[in-house]
Amino acid sequence: RSVATNLRARHEYRYHDADALADGRLEGATAYVSAVGGVLAASAMETTRKGDRPAPIAGWHFTIVESDTINAFAAPGGWVFVTTAAIEAAQSEDELAAVLAHEIAHVVRGHALGSIQKGRWANVAKTALDTSVELDQQSLGDLTQVFEGAMDDMIDGILVKGYSKDTEYEADRVGLEIMAHAGYDPQALVRYLKTLDAEQGGGGGGFQATHPRASDRIAKIQSKAQGMGKVEIPKVRFARFAAAVDEL
C-alpha cells in the first residue's frame, strides 16, 4: 500500500473516477477496467506457477491514472495502474486485457520485491534479530529506515529504471498465459506491442523509458502467442470497450 500511495503521489493523485473511489464506489471506466482486471486476476489464481504470489492479502485494485503518457505499472500488493493514454492506445478489450495481464504477471511473479537490494534484506533480518519483540525507539527508527529504502528500490524498479529485460519478457510470457486462460486473444498482446513500436521511435517516458523495445518483445512472444491459437472476439467486447473509452 505504501508503494501504491507513493506511485499515486508521483502522479499528483490524478486518477479517473476519483470522487467515486473516495467514497468506496466503482463507477464508469474504472468499474469497467476493474471488471476486466478481476477476470484476469482470477485467471492468474487458476494458472499458478512455482513461486507465484497470485492472491494479494488486500485483494486486487485497478486504477486509471489521467496521463497523456502510455504507461502501466503495478505495486506488489495487487495495485495495478494504467494511464488513460494506454487505454486509448488499445483497439479492443483484448488489447487492454493484454496490458493488465502483463502488470498482473509482475505482481504474481514478485518482480517488485525482487528489485529490493539484497543488502537491505540482510539489514532487515539483522535488525529484527538484534531487537526484542517490543522495539525501542532506536530499533524502530532503524527498521523504518530499512523498509523505506526497500520501498525506494521497488519504486525505482517500477517507475524510474524499470525491470531487467528478462523480467519484462517473463511478464509477457506469464501475461499471455493469464489472458489466454481467461478467454482473451493472446495475439492481442502482439497487436498492442505493434502500436507501441510505432510510438517508440522518438523516445519519451512511460513504456519507452522502462520497458525493452516493443519490437524485441514481439520477437520474443509472437510464436508463443500464435501457438495458443486465435480467439474469435465477441462483438460485445468491442462495444463495451468503446463505451468505456468514450468516458475517458
Side-chain angles (χ1 to χ4, degrees):
R1 288 197 298 271
S2 295
V3 173
T5 299
N6 192 295
L7 292 173
R8 285 182 170 183
R10 287 177 181 235
H11 289 84
E12 299 177 1
Y13 299 95
R14 299 192 309 270
Y15 45 95
H16 205 62
D17 301 307
D19 291 341
L21 286 173
D23 290 337
R25 303 191 315 274
L26 284 176
E27 292 183 356
T30 301
Y32 168 72
V33 170
S34 295
V36 175
V39 170
L40 294 166
S43 176
M45 295 180 68
E46 295 173 352
T47 58
T48 55
R49 290 142 294 271
K50 184 177 180 181
D52 273 5
R53 303 165 179 266
I57 293 174
W60 291 87
H61 308 269
F62 299 87
T63 303
I64 301 173
V65 177
E66 294 182 346
S67 172
D68 293 332
T69 301
I70 298 175
N71 204 2
F73 39 92
W79 296 82
V80 176
F81 302 87
V82 59
T83 64
T84 48
I87 297 173
E88 290 168 342
Q91 301 298 311
S92 67
E93 181 177 304
D94 290 55
E95 290 189 23
L96 170 62
V99 176
L100 298 178
H102 177 92
E103 298 306 324
I104 288 171
H106 276 312
V107 177
V108 165
R109 297 303 297 159
H111 290 159
L113 296 174
S115 66
I116 299 174
Q117 295 178 19
K118 291 181 179 179
R120 295 202 197 278
W121 281 125
N123 286 338
V124 169
K126 183 178 185 303
T127 303
L129 290 172
D130 288 349
T131 58
S132 62
V133 175
E134 205 167 309
L135 297 175
D136 57 33
Q137 287 299 312
Q138 177 63 43
S139 298
L140 181 60
D142 291 344
L143 199 57
T144 299
Q145 186 174 14
V146 169
F147 275 110
E148 284 178 349
M151 187 175 72
D152 289 340
D153 287 345
M154 285 187 279
I155 292 169
D156 201 38
I158 294 168
L159 208 58
V160 183
K161 294 180 180 177
Y163 297 120
S164 69
K165 287 186 177 181
D166 287 343
T167 300
E168 292 295 349
Y169 295 149
E170 181 182 37
D172 281 341
R173 292 194 305 272
V174 173
L176 276 179
E177 295 170 6
I178 291 171
M179 64 183 296
H181 182 76
Y184 287 106
D185 181 7
Q187 294 184 61
L189 175 57
V190 177
R191 293 194 293 273
Y192 192 83
L193 288 174
K194 287 180 178 178
T195 298
L196 290 185
D197 193 38
E199 295 279 343
Q200 279 187 313
F207 275 123
Q208 301 183 48
T210 59
H211 289 69
R213 290 192 62 84
S215 56
D216 295 337
R217 294 171 66 186
I218 292 169
K220 289 283 187 180
I221 56 94
Q222 191 163 27
S223 60
K224 181 179 176 67
Q226 289 174 343
M228 291 178 167
K230 188 174 181 179
V231 174
E232 191 68 32
I233 302 175
K235 291 182 180 179
V236 66
R237 291 218 288 253
F238 288 105
R240 64 195 183 200
F241 174 77
V245 170
D246 284 344
E247 293 188 17
L248 297 180

